[in-house]
Amino acid sequence: VLRKRPLFSAEEAAGEFDVLTRAGWEEGQECCWAHKCGVRLDAKHMFVEHHGYPFDAVFDQTATTDTLYQTAVEGVVRRACDGSCGSVIMFGQTGSGKTYTTTGLVSLMAPQICNPEDSGGVVSVQCLQLLGERVSDLLSEEGPEAEVKLLENDQGVTLPVGVSTGLAESAEDLIALIQQAADRRAQSATEAHTALELESSSSRSHAIYSMFLASGGVLMLTDLAGSEWARDQTSHDSHRIAESKSINSSLSTLKRCIEARVANDHGNAKPNPNHGNAQDQPKVCLLYTSPSPRDS
């Protein structure tokens, strides 16, 4: 599904205009239309190209997080409460509102997850930060610098070892635990945030919030670091440039892994040598071993 953010006041003040609209598509799908404005070679006549991108659902700037939750997320949470696995992944460019949406979804799913009638009550929570080649424990008493080792089991699944576990007996406990972890994430100001005059800085790490329910179900909520255009990196030092490249690389590898997994679920799997790159990136391996897309 796709969620479209509104224009920020800084964009409106700069004379920017909205080039995305939501519309219907084939049955069971919605479409985000991108309108590209240009000038012909004669430098006199303007034109507009329209490109449609179909999704299972598209939410425009008027849609609330509550609407998004009821339409696209509540069913995933329900299956986890029933003992299955579910995964919700936030993917998008820096400044697109991933962490904003994640925070809103946590507040909406917490009462359902911690309801004894739905999931059995107490929820175990683990929160990991994936930064570069390092994986750290965001709930550790040692702080976010507590590094976590990743080991591969006999089934070839990459798993974290020695991760701290928090216990949530209520919705308030669950929200507090995830907020505590979110506050410990690595953050930096980006040119995109500066240009948009946003007060908050950008998360420069991937965060995985894993919730293990008494029903035996597992719910993983992943807030990915935002991708950046090259033009948004002009003032970065060498460390930040390397960081941005690492983020963009991991997101590209994760995308290929998900595409391969979806193809495999549909019986269309084809060997792709690029998928092997994931083995060299612990964070991508960890993200890749999240529940199957059919449960996401």
Side-chain angles (χ1 to χ4, degrees):
V1 301
L2 174 73
R3 186 180 197 183
K4 171 180 175 287
R5 71 162 175 82
L7 288 179
F8 293 118
S9 56
E11 293 172 317
E12 295 177 336
E16 301 284 353
F17 52 91
D18 201 338
V19 296
L20 300 176
T21 56
R22 169 181 172 270
W25 192 252
E26 298 177 356
E27 184 177 355
Q29 287 187 314
E30 295 180 336
C31 182
C32 178
W33 286 92
H35 313 288
K36 181 181 178 181
C37 304
V39 180
R40 300 197 182 280
L41 294 177
D42 59 12
K44 295 181 180 179
H45 298 88
M46 301 181 68
F47 67 94
V48 180
E49 294 180 350
H50 307 283
H51 303 274
Y53 302 91
F55 293 86
D56 291 333
V58 176
F59 301 89
D60 62 19
Q61 65 273 19
T62 64
T64 64
T65 303
D66 187 74
T67 299
L68 171 65
Y69 179 76
Q70 293 179 11
T71 305
V73 180
E74 188 173 21
V76 179
V77 176
R78 169 59 61 187
R79 289 195 292 274
C81 290
D82 290 340
S84 184
C85 295
S87 180
V88 181
I89 301 176
M90 308 296 164
F91 177 91
Q93 192 177 354
T94 294
S96 59
K98 299 180 298 300
T99 299
Y100 171 85
T101 299
T102 299
T103 302
L105 291 180
V106 169
S107 66
L108 292 170
M109 65 175 60
Q112 184 175 354
I113 293 174
C114 295
N115 187 338
E117 296 182 359
D118 286 332
S119 63
V122 179
V123 178
S124 299
V125 183
Q126 294 180 351
C127 302
L128 297 177
Q129 172 176 251
L130 285 61
L131 179 62
E133 296 303 316
R134 294 183 67 255
V135 180
S136 57
D137 186 348
L138 292 174
L139 292 182
S140 172
E141 294 182 355
E142 301 176 18
E145 297 303 317
E147 192 164 352
V148 173
K149 292 184 178 180
L150 299 180
L151 296 179
E152 188 176 289
N153 64 14
D154 55 2
Q155 297 178 334
V157 178
T158 302
L159 298 171
V161 178
V163 183
S164 301
T165 299
L167 298 179
E169 299 182 357
S170 66
E172 292 75 16
D173 290 344
L174 179 58
I175 293 172
L177 280 171
I178 293 182
Q179 186 59 54
Q180 174 187 333
D183 291 341
R184 290 181 168 186
R185 288 179 68 186
Q187 298 186 352
S188 297
T190 65
E191 288 195 24
H193 277 64
T194 301
L196 296 175
E197 298 181 4
L198 301 179
E199 295 182 359
S200 60
S201 55
S202 174
S203 299
R204 307 314 299 151
S205 65
H206 305 311
I208 305 177
Y209 308 118
S210 302
M211 290 155 273
F212 303 89
L213 284 57
S215 63
V218 180
L219 180 63
M220 297 181 69
L221 184 61
T222 303
D223 184 8
L224 297 171
S227 57
E228 287 187 279
W229 292 102
R231 63 172 179 264
D232 293 330
Q233 303 177 34
T234 55
S235 66
H236 289 181
D237 57 25
S238 59
H239 173 73
R240 286 295 312 284
I241 291 175
E243 177 188 83
S244 297
K245 287 182 178 179
S246 176
I247 290 173
N248 290 345
S249 174
S250 68
L251 292 174
S252 295
T253 304
L254 175 61
K255 176 184 174 181
R256 292 195 297 271
C257 288
I258 292 177
E259 288 174 345
R261 195 159 187 172
V262 171
N264 184 67
D265 283 349
H266 289 83
N268 300 321
K270 295 181 179 180
N272 187 332
N274 290 328
H275 295 157
N277 294 341
Q279 301 303 319
D280 299 325
Q281 301 186 48
K283 60 185 178 183
V284 179
C285 291
L286 190 60
L287 291 168
Y288 179 61
T289 54
S290 62
S292 170
R294 68 164 65 95
D295 294 323
S296 302

